[in-house]
Amino acid sequence: MPTDKKRVKNLPDNLPANLEAGEICPSTYTADQIFEKEPDKYARIAQALAQGKSALSISKAEKVATESVAIILKREKESIEGAQKLTQGLNTIASQTILLKIIEQAEAGKIPAGALGITFGVLRDKEKADLGQASQVVEIKKTASLEDVKGHLEALRKERDRDIIEVPESA
């Protein structure tokens, strides 16, 4: 029946349970079946995690549950971190080598001046990402209305006038 009255939700807390305690079994993901039946898949998942891929994309690509990917991340944490550190070190060496080549090419005039900024910028962004630093800085500018500016100027004038000490003229 239609009504104009506001409906109130009533959630009773004294209803009897529909399930017995023994009928509820929590799921425990171990990824043991993947490791035992498909060790190559297990290794690919760990490698993808080391590369920084998301659990969702890995689970779709490897056709496993995201929970399985999550447990592999927990179980293989040390291996994944070790692979990431190795990759970071190799990236640093590669960056240094490439930077030396860029310097050689620039000194020889083989790189157009306009391309140097872009080349250096990309290289610098990758280096900062490897070091865990921000590669971009977002500047937030506040916009002010004309009334805001006039009010601020008036406040500055009042402060200035308050600080002025008048000295009496001596005869």
Side-chain angles (χ1 to χ4, degrees):
M1 277 166 67
T3 180
D4 293 334
K5 291 182 181 180
K6 185 176 179 180
R7 298 285 181 186
V8 177
K9 289 184 181 179
N10 185 11
L11 302 174
D13 57 357
N14 60 349
L15 292 175
N18 288 327
L19 300 174
E20 296 289 325
E23 295 176 357
I24 302 171
C25 181
S27 296
T28 303
Y29 291 89
T30 61
D32 286 340
Q33 283 186 340
I34 298 171
F35 182 73
E36 292 167 2
K37 293 180 180 177
E38 299 177 90
D40 291 344
K41 180 184 278 194
Y42 188 94
R44 282 194 310 270
I45 293 170
Q47 183 65 37
L49 287 166
Q51 292 171 353
K53 293 182 180 175
S54 72
L56 184 60
S57 67
I58 296 169
S59 68
K60 285 181 180 179
E62 296 294 339
K63 295 182 175 67
V64 296
T66 53
E67 293 83 1
S68 297
V69 176
I71 197 66
I72 292 171
L73 175 62
K74 282 187 176 184
R75 289 182 88 167
E76 305 300 332
K77 184 177 182 177
E78 289 181 21
S79 299
I80 291 168
E81 287 175 356
Q84 288 173 335
K85 285 180 182 177
L86 175 64
T87 302
Q88 183 179 3
L90 292 173
N91 283 343
T92 301
I93 293 168
S95 294
Q96 291 171 352
T97 304
I98 291 170
L99 184 58
L100 292 173
K101 295 242 184 243
I102 290 171
I103 292 169
E104 289 174 9
Q105 297 282 323
E107 287 176 346
K110 295 181 179 178
I111 298 178
L116 286 174
I118 295 168
T119 306
F120 178 75
V122 170
L123 184 65
R124 187 76 173 135
D125 280 351
K126 297 299 180 189
E127 178 189 19
K128 285 188 168 221
D130 283 345
L131 295 173
Q133 299 174 352
S135 62
Q136 296 180 353
V137 177
V138 177
E139 183 178 340
I140 300 172
K141 294 184 178 183
K142 182 180 176 185
T143 58
S145 66
L146 184 57
E147 290 77 26
D148 292 338
V149 174
K150 286 180 181 178
H152 185 67
L153 288 173
E154 186 61 36
L156 289 173
R157 285 188 195 109
K158 286 180 182 178
E159 187 177 326
R160 179 198 63 199
D161 292 343
R162 189 174 15 132
D163 293 341
I164 294 177
I165 301 173
E166 292 188 27
V167 179
E169 291 184 26
S170 54

